Structure formats: C-alpha cells, structure tokens
C-alpha cells in the first residue's frame, strides 16, 4: 500500500474538483483556458486539504522511528538481573507502519510542486487571465495589451514594495539575508495576507453554517426567505432586462451606421454574435447590405468605442441569462416549499406535487423515491436530520473557537485538537489520527470555502450555480482558494501542535512545514501575528451571531433578510404575490397543454384513419364516388365533415391568437419582461410569447 493512498486521493480529488466546477461553470460556452486554469487552482487547493492528514501520519511514524533509533540500549547489569528483559520495554517503543505510509523524499517534492504552482497561479497567471477574460478586444493581441495595462498597477505595487525592502536590506549592515531567508520572507508575506482574510471568512462560516442548517428545519422560515429572494430577484431581473435593452439599442445604431464594406464591420459582426438570437434576427431584418459607407461622414464609432461596447454586451447578456435561470430555479423552489407546507397535514401520507417536474426523473429515483418515501423524508425526517446536523456542526464550531484561542499554550495543552492527536499518537492509531485530522481540516475548509461561494461583490464577483458563473468570477475564486489554503493548513498544524514553532519541541516537522521554512526570520510575525490574530475569530463569531453585518448592509440600502424589519415584510408580501401570479400562469399553461393534447388524441387519430383509408382503398372510393353523389343527404354530411376537419386542423396548428387579457398588444415578446414562466434555451420564457389558444379559457 506504499504510496497507493496518495495516488487514490489524487485521482479522487481531481474528479471532485471537476464535478464542482461543472456545477458553476459552463464547459460549452466558456473559454477552455479559463476552465483549465480554474480547475487547476481548485484542484491544487482541494488536494492540499486531502493529502495533509497523510503527511501528519507519516510524520508521526518517522518520529517514532527516530525515537527508537536514538534511544540508548538497555544495560544488562541494570535491566537483565533475572536473565531476561522486561516484556513491556520492547513493546513500548515498537513502531507500526501506517497503511497510508508515503516513502521518504516524495512528500517534500510533492508539496514544493503544489505550493509554488498555486502561488504562480494566484499572483501572476490568474490576475492576468481575469483582465484578459473581461477585455472587449477583438483580437488576441488587443486583449493581451489590455490585460497588461490593467495589471501594470497591480504588479508594479508589489515590485515597488519588494524593491524597497531589498534596498533596505542591502543598505543596513545588520541584515545578512540569504536566498533561503528571502524566500521565507516572501512566503511569510503571502501567508500573512491569506491569514488576515482567512480569519474573517472563518468567523462568518463558524456561525452561519450551523445556523443555516438549523433554520433549514423550519419550513416557514425557508418559505418566507424564498419569498424575499423572489422579490429581490424580480427587481434585479427587471434591471438586467432594461440594461440589455439599452445595450441592444446601441448595438442596433452601430449596426445600421457601419455597412458591410466598412473596415470595422468585422468588429460589429463579432458583437452581433454575442447578442441573443431574437435580437440578431431583428437586426438582420433591418440590415440594408446594398448601401455603401461614405468616408466623408464623421459619425462612425471608433474601434475603442466598439471595444467598450463589446465588453458591455458580454456583461449584460451574461447577467440577463443568469437572472432568467435563477428566476426559474427560485420559482421551482418556492412551488416545492409550498407543496411541502400543504402535504404536512396530508392524511394519505403521500407527497402530491402541484406541478409535474419539467425534466424527466430517473427510473431508479422513481422506483425508490416513491411519493410515500418522499412524504416521510420531507415532512418528518428531514427537519430532525437538519437539527441534529446543526447541533453537531455547532459543537465543532465551539471546539474550533476554543482551540483558536488556546493553541499557543503547550503546558498544559488546551487545544482540543492537539489533545486528540496526542492521545492517538501514544497508541500509534494511524486510522484515528488520519480521520481526526481529516475531519478537522475538512470542517475548517467548509467554513472558509462556503463563505467564498456565498459572498457577492455587487455584480463583479458572484458564484452562481447551474452553470451561470462568468469567467471573471471563476478565476477570482481560484485566486482566493490559492491564497487561503496555505495559511489554512498552517493554522490547522498549529491547532494540532504539529508545527514545531507552536509546540516548541525539537521534533521532526511535517513535510509541508519544512517547505514554508522557519518563520523565526520574522519573529514579530511568528511570535505575534500568527498567534494572537486568530483570537479575533471570537469577535467575528459574536458579530455574525447578532447579524451585525446584515444590519449594516440594511442601513446602507442593501436589503437583507431580517425577520424584525418592516422592509423585509414588504418584500415577503411582494414575493407572495409574484409566486401567486406565476402559479396561475403555470396552471393556465398546463391546462391549455392538456386540452390541446386531448384534441390531438381525439381528432388527430380520426384524421390519420381517414388518410390511411384513402391511401389503402383508392379503387373503392372511386367506385363509390358516383353513389355518394347520388345521395344528397350523404353529400351534405360529407361536405360538413370536411369543413369541420379543416377547422380542427387549423385549431391544432401553431397559430397563436392575441391575448385579450393582456394590458397591451405587442408583437415583440420582450415588451413584457415581467411575465415569466418556463424557461427556453434561447433565454426566453413561454409566458413572454403570445399566449396559446386555450390559455385563457
């Protein structure tokens, strides 16, 4: 099994990172380099979290071997009085190799490659790719130029600080730094920046994750919060549609002014390809290709203005598509929560849905997850499961907060994580050591990474699920992960006293700590900031518990969900009304589809039978033609039957009459942005188009 555990975890973590990235990114539409860079950043960070427990168990085994090799042999005159050694002495120092033991020399090389690759990504490559992805240039050279200009200040600031430090060291004779010490100083600076952000995110996650699971057991709370989200998203959706309309109007003007033989026509065609399909068709119909451009006119836009317009089009289309998809998902969530509230009092104990799923269910899911099983899970078991999980997570949070405030104490050992590891180290129970280490660092990672997925910086950084995250946000998340993971691992090693700078023991350090170098080069950071700054997590947890950040955002005008706020109640009422209106539209739409299906089944089959009879028995129809004409009543019946058949065919066609219940009559489906229903791949809702024949019956 030597090295097998390392290989298995490397493969498993890769597919885990790929699965999570597929949930947030869009592999079909986004650039391959963006997907590869983000996948590599996430993969390296997740890999550090999963491999570090193996490094701890291997280090404990190596310490045992050193203790056995360095222990002096027992003297025969002292210990062999009865002619034999005590049976307990050899067993006390016997070392058992762990099942996941990694041979010497592999881990240092592995950590060095992983760490420096992640640092190269977060400080050099990913910032450059961010600017490249957001650039509106029409060529690779133009995008690279824009990215270099935008990152000049970013890179220049770091170079200025580093250059000033080197000049200070060269001038001051008291400093005699070597290359290894300079490398350690650079690592310490990066870890200090990461630890500063780490404690802020950790303080939020330690409280919010248990609280969110506890509130998840409250159906009424979830439904009210969903109503609030619906009202907020409706405002954002309307704003996104209005912004898209304004941008498309500018694109239309540019498209009409720049003709087919203009030098900048290729740039306009590139912009048009980024527009939604309905806008492309509309602009294509209004295009007069036979007109030539006139060089004497001076009202043509410049290439710089087209670059800016291209950037605005990409942003507005992405935002519009994201809000449309989120609106559809939020509606389904609200409908489902209302169904759960209705089914809680069901006497049949079978879960009944108001609307059928739009996507077909898996056969295995349908076989095992029956309506009865769904009722017991949603109405009885799930609330209790969430409560128990919230209590367990809250217990972990309390242990983390206590250990963060006491991990610097070595005599006595107050950090609970260090106590657990030292108890397992005495018996060399490597399975317990690895499980304890994995659960600890996994919980810390969940608290930090989940906060990264939740935070939103206006519309510039926002990780949206269901493949709706833009390239800029994906790359920014990769940067944050690469900057947060190294200090997170160092903090974990400090909590478990596996870091020699914390435990103050002259023992073998882990391979991960050996790469970071000795922090004694900067004593004020090693003995001050790294030890006392994590205590700030207590203040952050208290602030998160009392929702101080949420209250501050409310005061600044950013509406947040608060139960004791009047504005929140208004948003909830608005969300209820929106859900009620969308439910009526969905019901009318499904009723119309059901009636249309019944008409097709009733009259479509008779039409097929009549057509089949005409094709199979043409001679019989010709022979009976004279007899049919001889009978006037039959002839009258035949003509009326044919007319009725044509009327039925016309009713079953795709003709869409006007909706007389609408406020206004318009041929443009985008004139009704507030009407939303089932989402279509082109970014439109069915309710935005003209209503069907039976929608208002």
């Amino acid at each position: 099994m030597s090295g097998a555990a390392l290989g298995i975890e490397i493969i498993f973590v890769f597919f885990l990172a790929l699965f999570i990235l597929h949930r947030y990114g869009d592999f079909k539409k986004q650039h391959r380099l963006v997907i590869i860079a983000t996948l590599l950043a996430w993969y390296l960070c997740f890999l550090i979290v999963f491999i570090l427990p193996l490094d701890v168990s291997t280090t404990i085994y190596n310490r045992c071997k050193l203790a056995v090799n360095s222990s002096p042999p027992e003297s025969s005159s002292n210990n062999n009085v009865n002619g034999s050694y005590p049976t307990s002495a050899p067993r006390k120092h016997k070392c058992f190799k762990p099942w996941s033991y990694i041979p010497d020399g592999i881990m240092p090389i592995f950590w060095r490659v992983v760490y420096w690759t992640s640092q190269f990504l977060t400080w050099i490559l990913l910032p450059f790719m961010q600017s490249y992805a957001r650039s509106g240039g029409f060529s690779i050279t133009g995008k690279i130029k824009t990215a270099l200009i935008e990152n000049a200040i970013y890179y220049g600031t770091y170079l200025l600080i580093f250059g000033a430090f080197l000049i200070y060291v060269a001038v001051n004779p008291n400093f005699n730094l070597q290359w290894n010490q300079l490398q350690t100083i650079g690592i310490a600076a990066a870890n200090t920046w990461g630890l500063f952000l780490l404690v802020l995110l950790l303080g939020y996650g330690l409280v919010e994750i248990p609280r969110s699971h506890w509130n998840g057991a409250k159906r009424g709370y979830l439904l009210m919060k969903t109503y609030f989200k619906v009202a907020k998203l409706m405002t954002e959706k309307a704003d996104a549609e209005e912004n898209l309309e304004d941008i498309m109007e500018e694109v239309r003007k540019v498209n009409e002014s720049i003709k087919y033989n203009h030098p900048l026509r290729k740039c306009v065609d590139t912009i048009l390809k980024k527009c939604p399909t309905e806008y492309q068709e509309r602009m294509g119909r209004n295009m007069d290709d036979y007109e030539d451009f006139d060089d004497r006119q001076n009202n043509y836009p410049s290439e710089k203005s087209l670059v800016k317009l291209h950037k605005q089009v990409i942003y507005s289309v992405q935002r519009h598509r994201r809000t449309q998809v989120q609106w559809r998902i939020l509606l389904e969530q609200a409908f489902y929560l209302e169904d759960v509230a209705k089914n809680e009092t069901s006497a049949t104990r079978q879960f009944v849905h108001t609307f059928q799923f739009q996507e077909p269910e898996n056969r295995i899911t349908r076989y095992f997850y029956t309506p009865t099983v769904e009722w017991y899970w949603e109405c009885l078991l799930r609330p209790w499961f969430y409560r128990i999980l919230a209590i367990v997570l809250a217990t972990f949070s309390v242990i983390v907060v206590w250990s963060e405030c006491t991990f610097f104490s070595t005599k006595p050992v107050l950090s609970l994580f260090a106590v657990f590891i030292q108890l397992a180290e005495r018996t060399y129970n490597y399975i317990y050591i690895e499980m304890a280490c994995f659960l600890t660092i996994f919980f810390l990672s969940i608290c930090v990474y989940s906060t990264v997925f939740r935070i939103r910086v206006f519309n510039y950084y926002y990780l949206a699920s269901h493949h709706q995250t833009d390239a800029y946000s994906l790359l920014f998340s990769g940067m944050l992960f690469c900057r947060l993971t190294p200090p997170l691992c160092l903090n974990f090693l400090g909590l478990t006293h596996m870091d020699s700078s914390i435990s103050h023991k002259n023992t073998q350090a882990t391979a991960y700590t050996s790469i970071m170098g000795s922090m004694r080069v900067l004593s004020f950071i090693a003995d001050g900031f790294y030890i006392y700054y994590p205590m700030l997590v207590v203040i952050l947890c208290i602030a998160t518990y009392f929702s101080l950040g949420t209250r501050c955002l409310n005061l600044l005008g950013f509406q947040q969900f608060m139960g004791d706020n009047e504005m929140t109640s208004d948003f909830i009422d608005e969300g209820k009304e929106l859900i009620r209106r969308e439910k009526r539209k969905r019901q009318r739409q499904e009723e119309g589809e059901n009636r249309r299906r019944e008409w097709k089944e009733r009259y479509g089959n008779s039409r097929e039978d009549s057509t089949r009879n005409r094709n199979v028995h043409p001679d019989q129809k010709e022979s009976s033609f004279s007899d049919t004409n001889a009978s006037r009543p039959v002839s009258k019946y035949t003509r009326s039957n044919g007319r009725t058949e044509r009327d039925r065919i016309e009713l079953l066609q795709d003709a869409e009459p006007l909706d007389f219940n609408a406020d206004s009559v318009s041929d443009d489906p985008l004139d009704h942005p507030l009407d939303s229903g089932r989402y279509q791949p082109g970014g439109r809702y069915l309710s935005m188009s003209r209503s069907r024949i039976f929608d208002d019956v």
Side-chain angles (χ1 to χ4, degrees):
M1 294 295 293
S2 179
L6 179 62
I8 293 173
E9 291 200 359
I10 288 175
I11 298 174
F12 171 76
V13 173
F14 174 78
F15 287 102
L16 176 63
L18 187 65
F19 171 76
I20 298 177
L21 181 59
H22 178 264
R23 177 176 174 81
Y24 288 89
D26 193 346
F27 291 172
K28 297 180 180 179
K29 296 181 180 180
Q30 289 173 342
H31 200 279
R32 293 183 180 179
L33 292 179
V34 174
I35 297 297
I36 293 174
T38 307
L39 177 62
L40 182 60
W42 289 15
Y43 172 61
L44 293 178
C45 296
F46 296 165
L47 194 62
I48 294 175
V49 172
F50 278 82
I51 301 299
L52 194 59
L54 303 183
D55 190 8
V56 172
S57 62
T58 302
T59 303
I60 292 176
Y61 173 70
N62 292 333
R63 289 178 181 179
C64 178
K65 289 196 305 181
L66 289 176
V68 171
N69 295 333
S70 60
S71 60
E74 298 180 352
S75 175
S76 59
S77 59
N78 296 331
N79 298 328
N80 198 15
V81 178
N82 297 327
S84 62
Y85 291 101
T87 57
S88 60
R91 293 179 183 176
K92 182 179 180 180
H93 298 287
K94 187 175 182 180
C95 300
F96 298 95
K97 182 180 292 187
W99 70 278
S100 59
Y101 175 74
I102 301 174
D104 297 336
I106 295 180
M107 290 306 299
I109 298 175
F110 175 81
W111 288 130
R112 191 173 290 109
V113 172
V114 170
Y115 177 77
W116 288 112
T117 303
S118 64
Q119 295 304 301
F120 173 76
L121 289 173
T122 186
W123 296 106
I124 298 178
L125 183 60
L126 293 183
F128 177 81
M129 292 189 65
Q130 271 187 305
S131 301
Y132 183 89
R134 294 196 65 182
S135 174
F138 300 99
S139 62
I140 298 178
T141 306
K143 291 184 178 181
I144 292 176
K145 182 180 178 180
T146 304
L148 290 176
I149 293 174
E150 290 183 359
N151 286 273
I153 300 176
Y154 177 81
Y155 294 124
T157 303
Y158 288 104
L159 291 176
L160 182 63
I161 296 174
F162 185 71
F165 176 77
L166 288 180
I167 294 174
Y168 176 76
V169 171
V171 173
N172 195 339
N174 296 327
F175 287 95
N176 186 16
L177 296 179
Q178 300 178 356
W179 169 251
N180 293 333
Q181 294 175 335
L182 288 176
Q183 178 180 335
T184 303
I185 291 174
I187 295 175
N191 290 337
T192 302
W193 189 96
L195 184 63
F196 177 80
L197 184 61
L198 174 69
V199 173
L200 298 178
L201 301 179
L202 184 62
Y204 176 82
L206 288 174
V207 176
E208 190 60 30
I209 290 180
R211 182 163 59 185
S212 62
H213 285 80
W214 181 264
N215 292 331
K218 304 175 183 178
R219 294 298 182 186
Y221 175 87
L222 288 180
L223 190 56
M224 294 299 107
K225 191 172 184 179
T226 304
Y227 288 150
F228 178 84
K229 290 180 179 180
V230 167
K232 278 193 69 175
L233 185 59
M234 188 64 189
T235 305
E236 183 182 354
K237 176 171 166 288
D239 184 43
E241 291 174 348
E242 183 180 355
N243 183 31
L244 181 64
E245 287 287 346
D246 296 338
I247 298 299
M248 291 298 104
E249 180 64 22
E250 295 183 11
V251 173
R252 184 190 63 79
K253 294 178 181 179
V254 171
N255 183 47
E256 292 178 355
S257 62
I258 297 180
K259 304 304 178 181
Y260 71 98
N261 54 352
H262 194 279
L264 296 178
R265 184 61 202 180
K266 293 182 179 179
C267 301
V268 177
D269 293 338
T270 303
I271 295 176
L272 290 176
K273 291 179 182 178
K274 304 295 176 62
C275 299
T277 307
E278 57 268 20
Y279 290 99
Q280 294 182 23
E281 296 175 354
R282 190 190 312 171
M283 295 177 189
R285 290 195 298 266
N286 298 331
M287 184 63 184
D288 296 330
D289 290 341
Y290 58 86
E291 295 183 6
D292 297 335
F293 78 96
D294 189 2
D295 292 333
R296 293 172 294 180
Q297 296 182 1
N298 297 324
N299 56 353
Y300 292 114
S302 61
E303 185 176 359
K304 185 179 295 185
S305 62
L306 291 180
V307 169
K308 183 179 179 180
L309 180 61
H310 187 202
K311 185 176 180 180
Q312 292 175 350
V313 168
I314 295 174
Y315 169 74
S316 60
V317 171
Q318 172 66 27
R319 184 188 175 193
H320 179 264
R321 186 186 301 116
R322 185 184 69 231
T323 53
Q324 298 288 347
V325 175
Q326 287 178 337
W327 175 259
R328 176 181 61 83
I329 296 171
L330 201 56
L331 287 180
E332 297 294 336
Q333 182 180 354
F335 294 156
Y336 189 76
L337 290 176
E338 289 182 347
D339 291 341
V340 172
K342 292 179 181 179
N343 284 274
E344 284 181 349
T345 58
S346 176
T348 59
R349 296 193 174 186
Q350 288 191 352
F351 200 92
V352 180
H353 294 271
T354 304
F355 303 108
Q356 297 297 327
F357 291 104
Q358 298 181 4
E359 298 180 359
E361 296 185 49
N362 191 2
R363 293 183 179 179
I364 300 177
T365 306
R366 258 185 317 187
Y367 181 76
F368 291 101
Y369 199 61
T370 60
T372 304
V373 175
E374 186 177 4
W375 187 90
Y376 276 99
W377 167 249
E378 292 292 343
C379 301
L380 291 181
L381 299 179
R382 187 171 183 175
W384 286 104
F385 173 77
Y386 271 71
R387 292 189 185 99
I388 295 173
L389 182 60
I391 294 173
V392 173
L393 294 175
T395 305
F396 266 96
S397 297
V398 172
I399 295 175
V400 169
V401 173
W402 171 262
S403 301
E404 290 285 358
C405 297
T406 59
F407 74 93
F408 58 88
S409 176
T410 56
K411 293 182 180 180
V413 178
L414 299 179
S415 175
L416 297 180
F417 295 116
V419 172
F420 297 154
I421 298 301
Q422 289 179 5
L423 289 176
E425 186 177 359
R426 294 174 184 175
T427 58
Y428 300 103
N429 190 348
Y430 297 108
I431 299 294
Y432 176 82
I433 292 173
E434 292 176 2
M435 290 301 299
C437 291
F438 176 74
L439 291 177
T440 303
I441 194 172
F442 183 74
F443 180 73
L444 294 174
S445 304
I446 290 295
C447 293
V448 175
Y449 293 162
S450 64
T451 309
V452 174
F453 281 97
R454 288 186 181 188
I455 60 176
R456 176 176 180 178
V457 184
F458 300 104
N459 287 315
Y460 294 99
Y461 171 73
Y462 181 34
L463 289 176
S465 58
H466 298 84
H467 321 292
Q468 298 304 313
T469 307
D470 57 354
Y472 183 88
S473 299
L474 286 176
L475 295 171
F476 190 75
S477 66
M479 290 173 52
L480 287 179
F481 285 160
C482 291
R483 296 181 187 183
L484 291 171
T485 304
L488 174 66
C489 294
L490 285 179
N491 183 256
F492 160 74
L493 294 176
L495 293 177
T496 57
H497 286 189
M498 293 300 296
D499 190 353
S500 58
S501 61
I502 301 298
S503 61
H504 303 288
K505 294 181 181 179
N506 190 14
T507 57
Q508 182 180 0
T510 59
Y512 186 83
T513 309
S514 63
I515 296 181
M516 298 297 170
S518 178
M519 296 301 172
R520 297 300 174 188
V521 179
L522 301 175
S523 58
F524 67 93
I525 293 180
D527 299 332
F529 185 78
Y530 281 175
I531 293 178
Y532 298 106
Y533 178 72
M535 296 181 185
L536 188 63
V537 73
V538 179
I539 301 176
L540 295 173
C541 288
I542 295 174
T544 305
Y545 180 79
F546 290 103
S547 303
L548 296 182
T550 302
R551 300 180 187 275
C552 292
L553 290 176
N554 267 328
L555 292 176
L556 294 176
F558 301 98
Q559 299 300 329
Q560 303 294 318
F561 182 77
M562 297 180 61
D564 55 350
N565 192 354
E566 183 179 356
M567 186 63 69
T568 302
S569 301
D570 295 339
F571 271 85
I572 291 174
D573 295 337
E574 183 181 353
K576 283 183 180 179
E577 184 60 31
L578 290 172
I579 292 298
R580 192 178 297 113
R581 188 178 67 180
E582 294 297 331
K583 182 177 288 187
R584 288 197 302 266
K585 289 182 179 179
R586 182 76 63 85
Q587 289 174 350
R588 289 199 305 267
Q589 184 179 0
E590 289 194 354
E591 289 174 1
E593 290 179 355
N594 292 334
R595 290 193 183 98
R596 193 179 301 110
R597 190 181 303 111
E598 291 177 0
W599 276 67
K600 283 186 178 180
E601 292 177 355
R602 183 180 302 176
Y603 300 106
N605 295 334
S606 61
R607 181 171 178 265
E608 291 178 359
D609 294 339
S610 61
T611 305
R612 189 182 302 111
N613 292 332
R614 286 196 301 269
N615 294 332
V616 174
H617 306 286
D619 298 336
Q620 296 178 1
K621 292 182 180 179
E622 291 178 358
S623 61
S624 62
F625 180 73
S626 59
D627 298 335
T628 305
N629 291 335
S631 177
R632 176 175 297 239
V634 176
S635 176
K636 182 178 180 181
Y637 175 77
T638 305
R639 287 196 300 270
S640 62
N641 187 20
R643 182 176 179 180
T644 306
E645 186 66 24
R646 289 194 299 270
D647 294 339
R648 292 168 185 163
I649 295 173
E650 290 177 359
L651 286 174
L652 295 176
Q653 287 177 350
D654 294 332
E656 298 178 341
L658 297 177
D659 185 5
F660 296 97
N661 293 329
D663 296 334
S664 61
V665 179
S666 175
D667 293 335
D668 190 359
L670 295 175
D671 290 339
H672 307 281
L674 298 180
D675 295 338
S676 57
R678 192 171 302 168
Y679 185 73
Q680 289 181 336
R684 299 174 57 191
Y685 286 86
L686 290 179
S687 62
M688 295 173 63
S689 62
R690 292 173 292 180
S691 60
R692 301 283 182 176
I693 183 69
F694 297 105
D695 284 354
D696 298 311
V697 176

